[in-house]
Amino acid sequence: MVYVSRKEHFNAAHKLYNPDWSEEKNKEIFGPCSNANWHGHNFELIVTVKGIPDADTGFVIDLKKLSTIIRTTVIDKLDHKNLNVDVEFMKGKMASTEVLAMEIWKILEPEITKVSKGVLHSIKLYETPRNFVEYLGE
Amino acid sequence: MVYVSRKEHFNAAHKLYNPDWSEEKNKEIFGPCSNANWHGHNFELIVTVKGIPDADTGFVIDLKKLSTIIRTTVIDKLDHKNLNVDVEFMKGKMASTEVLAMEIWKILEPEITKVSKGVLHSIKLYETPRNFVEYLGE
Amino acid sequence: MVYVSRKEHFNAAHKLYNPDWSEEKNKEIFGPCSNANWHGHNFELIVTVKGIPDADTGFVIDLKKLSTIIRTTVIDKLDHKNLNVDVEFMKGKMASTEVLAMEIWKILEPEITKVSKGVLHSIKLYETPRNFVEYLGE
Amino acid sequence: MVYVSRKEHFNAAHKLYNPDWSEEKNKEIFGPCSNANWHGHNFELIVTVKGIPDADTGFVIDLKKLSTIIRTTVIDKLDHKNLNVDVEFMKGKMASTEVLAMEIWKILEPEITKVSKGVLHSIKLYETPRNFVEYLGE
Amino acid sequence: MVYVSRKEHFNAAHKLYNPDWSEEKNKEIFGPCSNANWHGHNFELIVTVKGIPDADTGFVIDLKKLSTIIRTTVIDKLDHKNLNVDVEFMKGKMASTEVLAMEIWKILEPEITKVSKGVLHSIKLYETPRNFVEYLGE
Amino acid sequence: MVYVSRKEHFNAAHKLYNPDWSEEKNKEIFGPCSNANWHGHNFELIVTVKGIPDADTGFVIDLKKLSTIIRTTVIDKLDHKNLNVDVEFMKGKMASTEVLAMEIWKILEPEITKVSKGVLHSIKLYETPRNFVEYLGE
């Protein structure tokens, strides 16, 4: 079993904001992250697939194929977008890095199974080099 | 003469948008960077001051003081903000990295002169690890 | 279950030195790391908390709160200090990265439980970009 | 139990090529990675050993010793070499990062056991900052 | 005057080898860099253009256009290639990083002038994170 | 003219302390950097040599030779040392990064001239990734 990872990136705006709360409560809980006019990040996304390397190719998964899957199903929907407003699969959800990582898992897991015997192991998402999350599908 | 640098960072939303142009022309020239609902970045800012090290301290400028100046006069106005909407000194200006670097120079130059015999040499601003600008005040 | 991480940093002096051993044996085992007049590092500390994101905030733990906890209970005691001499919780212990990571775990685990439903998962400590340790509390 | 890691690096040429396949099939499956005249990478290798820190040294394993083992048994055979042609332990194997990580495990595991009570936990191998694999010996 | 930079990357094989010299002299002068079967690197290329930001766009040069120029005229000819064998513009030249940077300048300078009022200022080329060169066209 | 750079690193302890001042004044001016029991850093040193690439080698300077010079004349005297106490060429001088960079220039300039037609252009010294200096010998 080998764990194979591909790193991609996207830039997006967002804010942390709970629509069931008052402005004051949002400000109190989320601080500057709730700025009404948004802020943004250079997100880094690391997708890890695990499996047994194929005898003919030496690959768990072709990383060019994995890169294409990530770009067409995830990056194209997030890059240069507003996570709260522009992204269909984030509608009605908190735009936190935790929630975003879980939603990216839901999109990528079936796509990876289609092209590879490997299975999705982890979604790691850096909001900044100092703040990041990992989701293992559990 | 020694060149002394301090790196700080801020997260902000922006879009590239010329209000004198139609939506179509903005889209044509700026592409996804003109997304109506904004996008954003983790900006990295490197401020360089040049001067002769002081005989008593060995310093061109006290980097703790420089850090405080950058944070109070620049970072506090940009961090978790929208560059087009929330930032007084960017009002009526294009929110490009080039223009932002030049405006940061204008703010920092007199502040540095107040606390140090060193003079501002360079503003280096990373929009992403792949796209960055430098302004030397010329 | 999502794993949420925060990176902080501190600068410190230390030496590797076993007081039960002769100078010669310390030199033989620890080499230049036992230099009598100390050496030092820019340490990078990554603290990972695991839990289920809260429905109201989308957070496992508020990373601003986590950052404040790490700074007030750990970084303030280590930054610009000598690990062998100045740090109460390292007294009588080997100043290795392994031991330091285990001691940081002991301090942070109860603090995190106080403010979050998440639990401490990992302490990762970089002595240099080439030498680092991880402790999972086991 | 603490996990201790050492990072080393080497530069090598390789190509992805299955000798049982036609040129066309190699080109179809591996694309530019099958370029007949090779291409190359700056590989980064992270070796992780797990164990209980020794009471006298505070070490799971002496990282200087671990570095020497990695350099003499692995790096010296790979650095400034062609993975397909020059490396005895890769003969007859696919020169993929997955396979290389598994072969490095086979070499390092017994060497680490000889000098330490710690055991090899992981081989992490970066082909580029965007493409990397991890092998845990399972 | 603002300096605007774009970072791109490519992977390539090469060797340092002077065909006018004996094998022994090549080995003596270039050491492992002259390995007959090649070695390789992940090269990082930073292209800097200087100019006055355009009043309408805020740009010295559109970095998407600059990226396209670098990819189509330079990266496509170098990526997953052998610098000594596969690259037309390196034929008959030493495959050192110095020479490669100078040749990249020759290619990019006229292309940048075609699409921008900015002029090429610098080619910075990292062979590894530890070894790199810069050429300013002088 | 090409600028060729080599990056090396060393770990050291130091404090900022002016022996002509009282403890109070040292504390006031240098803050935690004057901690009596020292602190320390992972320093990164970038040495840049400029010159015309040699027609036979393609080199401004052989980077392996440059690395050896830096290690034997500078790194060996600084690594795992106390800058204030253990380093002959820093005796009686402020242990600031500015002063250290200038002293490293004095050592390296004649050594580089001995082995190369290139001349020393710059000493860049990172105390942390956030604080760094550059000296051009002027």
Side-chain angles (χ1 to χ4, degrees):
Chain A
M1 182 81 76
V2 180
Y3 299 78
V4 183
S5 297
R6 173 71 193 170
K7 187 166 82 162
E8 302 284 347
H9 56 86
F10 59 94
N11 310 321
H14 78 147
K15 68 176 169 184
L16 297 177
Y17 182 82
N18 184 330
D20 297 339
W21 290 349
S22 65
E23 290 302 315
E24 291 68 31
K25 181 144 189 196
N26 272 289
K27 186 110 196 174
E28 180 201 329
I29 301 296
F30 296 121
C33 298
S34 69
N35 179 47
N37 294 320
W38 324 96
H39 66 285
H41 301 287
N42 303 328
F43 290 88
E44 301 266 1
L45 171 63
I46 298 175
V47 176
T48 302
V49 173
K50 69 179 168 189
I52 294 165
D54 182 85
D56 286 336
T57 61
F59 284 168
V60 168
I61 184 171
D62 181 337
L63 282 177
K64 282 189 301 300
K65 274 192 198 162
L66 180 57
S67 173
T68 302
I69 290 171
I70 302 169
R71 290 185 192 208
T72 53
T73 67
V74 174
I75 302 292
D76 286 356
K77 289 170 181 157
L78 298 172
D79 192 35
H80 285 84
K81 292 292 193 307
N82 183 311
L83 300 180
N84 303 64
V85 178
D86 294 326
V87 182
E88 204 56 44
F89 67 80
M90 291 297 287
K91 286 277 165 67
K93 305 196 175 76
M94 293 300 298
S96 74
T97 319
E98 288 92 328
V99 172
L100 183 54
M102 294 169 86
E103 295 300 316
I104 291 171
W105 175 286
K106 285 187 209 161
I107 293 169
L108 286 178
E109 196 190 26
E111 299 296 329
I112 286 164
T113 308
K114 279 184 208 163
V115 301
S116 143
K117 278 176 283 188
V119 296
L120 182 58
H121 171 68
S122 157
I123 299 294
K124 199 165 187 177
L125 186 58
Y126 286 75
E127 190 180 79
T128 73
R130 289 160 297 283
N131 291 350
F132 52 97
V133 309
E134 187 171 26
Y135 181 58
L136 304 176
E138 297 159 351
Chain B
M1 181 81 76
V2 180
Y3 298 78
V4 183
S5 298
R6 173 69 193 173
K7 187 167 83 164
E8 301 284 347
H9 56 87
F10 59 93
N11 310 321
H14 79 148
K15 68 176 169 184
L16 297 177
Y17 183 83
N18 185 329
D20 297 339
W21 290 349
S22 65
E23 288 303 315
E24 290 69 31
K25 180 144 190 198
N26 272 289
K27 187 110 197 173
E28 180 201 328
I29 300 295
F30 295 122
C33 298
S34 68
N35 179 45
N37 294 318
W38 323 95
H39 66 285
H41 300 288
N42 304 328
F43 290 87
E44 301 267 0
L45 171 63
I46 298 176
V47 176
T48 302
V49 173
K50 68 180 170 191
I52 294 164
D54 182 85
D56 287 336
T57 60
F59 285 168
V60 168
I61 185 171
D62 181 338
L63 283 176
K64 282 189 302 299
K65 274 193 200 162
L66 179 57
S67 173
T68 301
I69 290 172
I70 301 170
R71 290 185 193 209
T72 53
T73 67
V74 174
I75 302 293
D76 286 356
K77 289 169 181 158
L78 298 172
D79 192 35
H80 285 85
K81 292 292 192 310
N82 183 313
L83 301 180
N84 303 64
V85 178
D86 294 326
V87 182
E88 204 56 45
F89 66 81
M90 290 297 287
K91 285 279 165 67
K93 305 197 175 76
M94 291 301 297
S96 74
T97 320
E98 288 93 328
V99 172
L100 183 55
M102 295 169 85
E103 295 301 315
I104 291 171
W105 176 285
K106 286 186 208 162
I107 294 170
L108 286 177
E109 196 190 27
E111 298 296 329
I112 286 164
T113 308
K114 279 185 209 163
V115 301
S116 144
K117 278 176 284 189
V119 296
L120 182 58
H121 171 68
S122 156
I123 298 295
K124 198 166 186 177
L125 187 58
Y126 286 76
E127 189 181 79
T128 74
R130 289 161 297 283
N131 292 350
F132 52 98
V133 309
E134 187 170 26
Y135 180 59
L136 303 176
E138 298 161 352
Chain C
M1 181 81 77
V2 180
Y3 298 78
V4 183
S5 297
R6 173 70 193 171
K7 187 167 81 163
E8 301 284 347
H9 57 87
F10 59 95
N11 310 321
H14 78 148
K15 68 176 170 183
L16 297 177
Y17 183 82
N18 185 330
D20 297 339
W21 290 349
S22 64
E23 289 302 316
E24 291 68 32
K25 180 144 191 196
N26 272 289
K27 186 108 196 173
E28 180 202 328
I29 300 295
F30 295 121
C33 298
S34 68
N35 179 46
N37 294 320
W38 324 96
H39 66 285
H41 300 287
N42 304 328
F43 290 87
E44 301 266 1
L45 171 64
I46 298 175
V47 176
T48 302
V49 173
K50 68 179 170 190
I52 294 165
D54 183 84
D56 286 336
T57 60
F59 285 169
V60 168
I61 184 170
D62 180 339
L63 283 176
K64 283 189 300 299
K65 274 192 199 163
L66 179 57
S67 173
T68 301
I69 290 172
I70 302 170
R71 291 184 192 210
T72 53
T73 67
V74 174
I75 303 293
D76 286 356
K77 289 170 182 159
L78 297 172
D79 193 35
H80 285 83
K81 293 290 193 311
N82 183 313
L83 301 180
N84 303 65
V85 179
D86 294 327
V87 181
E88 204 55 46
F89 67 81
M90 291 297 287
K91 285 278 164 68
K93 305 196 175 75
M94 292 301 297
S96 74
T97 320
E98 288 93 328
V99 172
L100 183 55
M102 295 169 86
E103 294 301 316
I104 291 172
W105 175 286
K106 285 187 209 161
I107 294 169
L108 286 177
E109 196 191 27
E111 298 296 329
I112 286 164
T113 307
K114 278 184 209 162
V115 302
S116 144
K117 277 175 284 189
V119 295
L120 181 58
H121 171 69
S122 156
I123 299 294
K124 198 165 186 177
L125 187 58
Y126 286 76
E127 190 181 78
T128 74
R130 290 160 297 282
N131 291 350
F132 52 97
V133 309
E134 187 170 27
Y135 180 59
L136 304 176
E138 297 161 351
Chain D
M1 180 82 76
V2 180
Y3 299 77
V4 182
S5 297
R6 174 70 193 173
K7 187 167 82 163
E8 301 285 346
H9 57 86
F10 59 93
N11 309 321
H14 79 147
K15 67 176 170 183
L16 297 177
Y17 183 82
N18 185 330
D20 297 340
W21 290 349
S22 65
E23 289 301 316
E24 290 68 31
K25 180 144 190 198
N26 272 289
K27 186 110 197 173
E28 180 202 328
I29 300 296
F30 294 122
C33 298
S34 68
N35 179 45
N37 295 318
W38 323 96
H39 65 286
H41 300 289
N42 303 328
F43 290 87
E44 301 266 2
L45 171 64
I46 298 176
V47 176
T48 302
V49 173
K50 70 179 170 190
I52 294 165
D54 182 84
D56 287 335
T57 60
F59 285 168
V60 168
I61 185 171
D62 181 337
L63 282 177
K64 282 189 301 299
K65 273 192 200 163
L66 180 57
S67 173
T68 301
I69 289 172
I70 301 170
R71 290 185 192 208
T72 53
T73 67
V74 173
I75 302 292
D76 286 356
K77 288 169 182 158
L78 297 172
D79 192 35
H80 285 84
K81 292 292 192 310
N82 183 312
L83 301 180
N84 303 66
V85 177
D86 294 327
V87 182
E88 203 58 43
F89 67 80
M90 290 297 286
K91 286 279 165 67
K93 304 196 176 76
M94 292 301 298
S96 75
T97 319
E98 288 92 326
V99 171
L100 183 54
M102 295 169 85
E103 294 301 316
I104 291 171
W105 175 285
K106 285 187 208 161
I107 293 169
L108 286 177
E109 197 191 26
E111 299 295 330
I112 286 165
T113 308
K114 279 184 208 164
V115 302
S116 144
K117 277 176 283 187
V119 296
L120 182 58
H121 171 68
S122 156
I123 298 295
K124 197 165 187 177
L125 186 59
Y126 285 76
E127 189 181 80
T128 73
R130 290 161 296 282
N131 291 350
F132 52 98
V133 309
E134 186 171 26
Y135 180 59
L136 303 176
E138 297 160 351
Chain E
M1 182 81 76
V2 180
Y3 299 78
V4 182
S5 297
R6 173 71 193 172
K7 187 167 83 162
E8 301 284 344
H9 57 86
F10 59 94
N11 309 321
H14 78 148
K15 67 176 169 184
L16 297 177
Y17 183 82
N18 184 330
D20 297 339
W21 289 349
S22 65
E23 289 302 314
E24 290 68 31
K25 181 144 190 198
N26 272 290
K27 187 110 198 174
E28 180 201 329
I29 300 295
F30 295 121
C33 298
S34 68
N35 179 45
N37 294 319
W38 323 96
H39 65 286
H41 300 287
N42 304 327
F43 290 87
E44 301 267 0
L45 171 64
I46 299 176
V47 176
T48 303
V49 173
K50 68 179 170 192
I52 294 165
D54 182 85
D56 287 335
T57 61
F59 285 168
V60 168
I61 185 171
D62 181 338
L63 283 176
K64 283 189 299 300
K65 274 191 199 162
L66 179 57
S67 174
T68 301
I69 289 171
I70 302 170
R71 290 186 192 208
T72 52
T73 66
V74 173
I75 302 293
D76 286 355
K77 289 170 182 157
L78 297 172
D79 192 36
H80 286 83
K81 292 292 192 310
N82 183 312
L83 301 180
N84 304 64
V85 177
D86 294 326
V87 182
E88 203 57 44
F89 67 82
M90 290 297 286
K91 286 279 165 66
K93 305 197 175 74
M94 292 300 298
S96 74
T97 319
E98 288 92 328
V99 171
L100 183 55
M102 295 169 84
E103 295 300 315
I104 291 172
W105 176 285
K106 285 187 209 163
I107 294 169
L108 286 177
E109 197 191 25
E111 299 296 329
I112 286 164
T113 308
K114 279 183 208 164
V115 302
S116 143
K117 277 175 284 188
V119 295
L120 181 58
H121 171 68
S122 155
I123 298 295
K124 198 166 187 176
L125 185 59
Y126 286 75
E127 190 181 79
T128 74
R130 290 161 296 282
N131 291 350
F132 52 98
V133 309
E134 186 171 26
Y135 180 59
L136 303 176
E138 298 161 350
Chain F
M1 181 81 77
V2 180
Y3 298 78
V4 182
S5 296
R6 173 71 193 171
K7 188 167 82 163
E8 302 284 347
H9 57 86
F10 59 94
N11 310 321
H14 78 148
K15 68 176 168 183
L16 297 177
Y17 183 83
N18 184 330
D20 297 339
W21 290 349
S22 65
E23 290 302 315
E24 291 67 32
K25 180 144 191 198
N26 272 290
K27 186 110 198 173
E28 181 202 329
I29 300 295
F30 295 121
C33 297
S34 70
N35 179 45
N37 294 319
W38 323 95
H39 66 286
H41 300 288
N42 304 329
F43 290 87
E44 301 266 2
L45 170 64
I46 298 176
V47 176
T48 302
V49 173
K50 68 180 170 190
I52 294 165
D54 183 84
D56 286 336
T57 61
F59 284 169
V60 168
I61 184 171
D62 181 338
L63 283 176
K64 283 188 301 299
K65 275 193 198 162
L66 179 57
S67 173
T68 301
I69 289 172
I70 302 170
R71 290 185 192 210
T72 53
T73 67
V74 173
I75 302 293
D76 286 355
K77 289 170 181 157
L78 298 172
D79 192 35
H80 285 84
K81 292 292 193 309
N82 184 311
L83 301 181
N84 303 65
V85 179
D86 295 326
V87 181
E88 204 56 44
F89 67 81
M90 291 295 288
K91 285 279 165 67
K93 305 196 175 75
M94 292 301 298
S96 74
T97 320
E98 287 93 328
V99 172
L100 183 55
M102 294 169 86
E103 295 300 316
I104 291 171
W105 175 286
K106 285 187 210 162
I107 293 169
L108 286 178
E109 196 190 26
E111 298 296 329
I112 286 164
T113 308
K114 278 184 210 163
V115 302
S116 143
K117 278 175 283 188
V119 296
L120 182 57
H121 171 68
S122 156
I123 298 295
K124 198 165 188 178
L125 186 58
Y126 285 76
E127 190 181 80
T128 73
R130 290 161 297 283
N131 291 350
F132 52 98
V133 309
E134 187 171 25
Y135 180 58
L136 303 176
E138 297 160 350

